[in-house]
Amino acid sequence: MSRYDKTHYWKVDINTVSVEDPNIQEAAIALRKGEVVAFPTETVYGLGADATKYDAVQKIFSAKGRPSDNPLIVHIGDKNQISELALDIKKHAFKLMDTFWPGPLTIIVKEKRVCAENVTAGLNTVGIRIPDHPVALALLQASQLPVAAPSANRSGKPSPTTANHVLQDLSNRIFGVLDGGPTGIGVESTVIDCTEDIPVILRPGGITLEAIREVIGDVIYDSALYRDDQKPKSPGMKYAHYAPNAPLWIVEGGVETLQKQINELTERGKKVGVMVSDEHVPHISADIVQSCGSKAHLEEVASKLYDVLRSFDQLEADIILAEPFPYEGIGEAVMNRLLKAASHVVKL
Ligand code: TXA
Ligand code: MG
């Protein structure tokens, strides 16, 4: 793996950033030279490299410690680039692009073999999106490249929603990071396979099933999403993911059940970390109590989720208990990530 004496740190103001910004130019030149650069998107920070260069893309895998059979999302700055990368694009895919791009929707289409083969991990499809973030767009436009970018965390860890999270995981392992402040949505893009007549959501995310249904009608979830006994179509969904250092349990049954679990673990000498909604904070007593926002505002919960999960590492919790959130709207994505972070351990 490449080690760097230092990771370049470029602060950018999201209100004034442009393609001509010297920091954007420096980062774009680094990408063109085959380096890896982290940058903010509207969902989470991404770790980018020139998607057409095998060696550049390989640096992403080694910096993250990512398994090579997990394909990367390709980010573009302009809709016209799609015809350079993809083949046989279906009508429903174009409709989704027109409606949701730029935005948190990754569309899987047949690939043209322009991207390096490690981007697609040997599949004949490629996932593409235009991010809705001024820094990401300036970088993509300045570099004039399709940029392969997974989330900029060490593989298995919670995704980064600040430049500081990126540096916690990847300092001296990557060439540089563009700091555009905290990301907005906080969970990753929705991944939708548009290669068949009825599109299939492989990963719930920033764009909800309901919003997609309004635009194209028929759409389904991958049947493997909520079951352990089926192979997911999105290779990334099979790995343990988003997890803090300490074991995480999801505790159903309300605050009383939760408090009982906390008490038992505390009596056994554990430093217990708890993640609950604002509504439940006053009713819980534990070593560490972190709020993830209001149950009534699941967008807020999504935006805080990874920061709260990471905070338990800093505070050195021995065990983390979390209450479940409703499977509504973006709550679907929140629960998908939380269940994976907990390796599906749910206590009643
Ligand atoms: O919001 C996001 O999507 C962020 C930002 C940086 O854009 N990126 C991100 O990338 O979350 P990553 O690598 O952490 O997750 C990509 C997911 C994985 O589950 C991967 O398996 C799936 O997308 N994926 C990518 N290409 C695919 C393909 N051709 N077929 C099926 N799944 C694919
Ligand atoms: Mg990821």
Side-chain angles (χ1 to χ4, degrees):
M1 192 206 71
S2 314
R3 295 287 315 187
Y4 298 84
D5 291 339
K6 67 165 189 169
T7 290
H8 291 258
Y9 173 84
W10 301 290
K11 180 97 187 143
V12 230
D13 182 344
I14 56 167
N15 298 307
T16 56
V17 66
S18 71
V19 174
E20 291 79 36
D21 189 312
N23 288 337
I24 294 288
Q25 283 293 327
E26 224 179 281
I29 289 167
L31 284 179
R32 293 201 68 92
K33 284 188 177 156
E35 285 298 348
V36 282
V37 167
F39 60 96
T41 79
E42 78 281 36
T43 57
V44 300
Y45 274 72
L47 182 59
D50 179 349
T52 65
K53 277 204 192 97
Y54 185 94
D55 291 346
V57 171
Q58 209 53 28
K59 289 182 188 169
I60 295 179
F61 284 92
S62 57
K64 281 186 60 105
R66 182 178 176 106
S68 61
D69 67 346
N70 192 3
L72 306 178
I73 293 170
V74 176
H75 298 67
I76 55 176
D78 187 311
K79 238 183 252 170
N80 294 325
Q81 285 170 276
I82 188 87
S83 58
E84 294 159 28
L85 302 170
L87 282 173
D88 302 339
I89 303 171
K90 293 197 184 280
K91 245 196 201 143
H92 53 56
F94 279 119
K95 260 189 174 171
L96 292 174
M97 292 170 201
D98 288 340
T99 311
F100 296 111
W101 282 2
L105 185 69
T106 295
I107 300 182
I108 306 232
V109 284
K110 272 199 195 149
E111 68 138 350
K112 247 185 177 175
R113 298 192 179 276
V114 171
C115 292
E117 60 188 339
N118 47 356
V119 170
T120 55
L123 301 171
N124 58 5
T125 56
V126 59
I128 303 176
R129 82 179 190 100
I130 303 184
D132 187 13
H133 192 288
V135 174
L137 288 171
L139 179 67
L140 291 164
Q141 282 154 14
S143 69
Q144 292 284 306
L145 292 169
V147 171
S151 50
N153 49 284
R154 287 280 291 165
S155 203
K157 293 276 113 195
S159 300
T161 54
T162 66
N164 193 34
H165 293 165
V166 175
L167 291 170
Q168 279 169 10
D169 281 15
L170 300 175
S171 193
N172 298 342
R173 302 177 78 94
I174 61 174
F175 185 83
V177 57
L178 281 162
D179 184 351
T183 59
I185 294 173
V187 291
E188 299 85 342
S189 63
T190 302
V191 176
I192 186 163
D193 182 347
C194 284
T195 58
E196 303 291 337
D197 288 338
I198 297 182
V200 183
I201 294 178
L202 306 185
R203 177 177 76 178
I207 302 284
T208 63
L209 175 113
E210 295 80 9
I212 292 172
R213 183 166 284 155
E214 265 182 40
V215 177
I216 54 165
D218 283 343
V219 54
I220 53 172
Y221 279 122
D222 180 7
S223 59
L225 260 181
Y226 298 105
R227 293 177 49 179
D228 283 345
D229 58 343
Q230 286 188 30
K231 189 171 177 277
K233 287 204 194 75
S234 175
M237 298 309 281
K238 71 174 183 252
Y239 292 107
H241 223 134
Y242 317 113
N245 293 333
L248 169 69
W249 299 351
I250 297 173
V251 181
E252 289 189 338
V255 262
E256 277 169 30
T257 317
L258 187 56
Q259 189 61 55
K260 225 173 108 201
Q261 285 278 5
I262 297 167
N263 296 348
E264 277 172 25
L265 289 159
T266 310
E267 271 164 35
R268 280 163 46 196
K270 303 279 185 199
K271 184 171 183 185
V272 182
V274 184
M275 186 178 94
V276 283
S277 58
D278 283 350
E279 290 84 345
H280 290 157
V281 170
H283 309 294
I284 289 292
S285 154
D287 292 317
I288 310 161
V289 181
Q290 300 284 62
S291 171
C292 215
S294 166
K295 267 198 179 182
H297 300 111
L298 293 174
E299 280 78 17
E300 190 189 352
V301 176
S303 75
K304 290 185 171 167
L305 178 70
Y306 291 135
D307 187 55
V308 170
L309 287 178
R310 277 176 178 266
S311 73
F312 293 114
D313 287 351
Q314 309 286 319
L315 298 165
E316 299 182 325
D318 295 322
I319 175 124
I320 305 158
L321 306 183
E323 71 170 326
F325 289 87
Y327 284 83
E328 287 157 19
I330 199 146
E332 193 78 45
V334 168
M335 285 310 294
N336 169 271
R337 307 308 190 271
L338 205 51
L339 278 163
K340 288 185 80 56
S343 300
H344 288 264
V345 176
V346 180
K347 305 270 175 186
L348 283 168

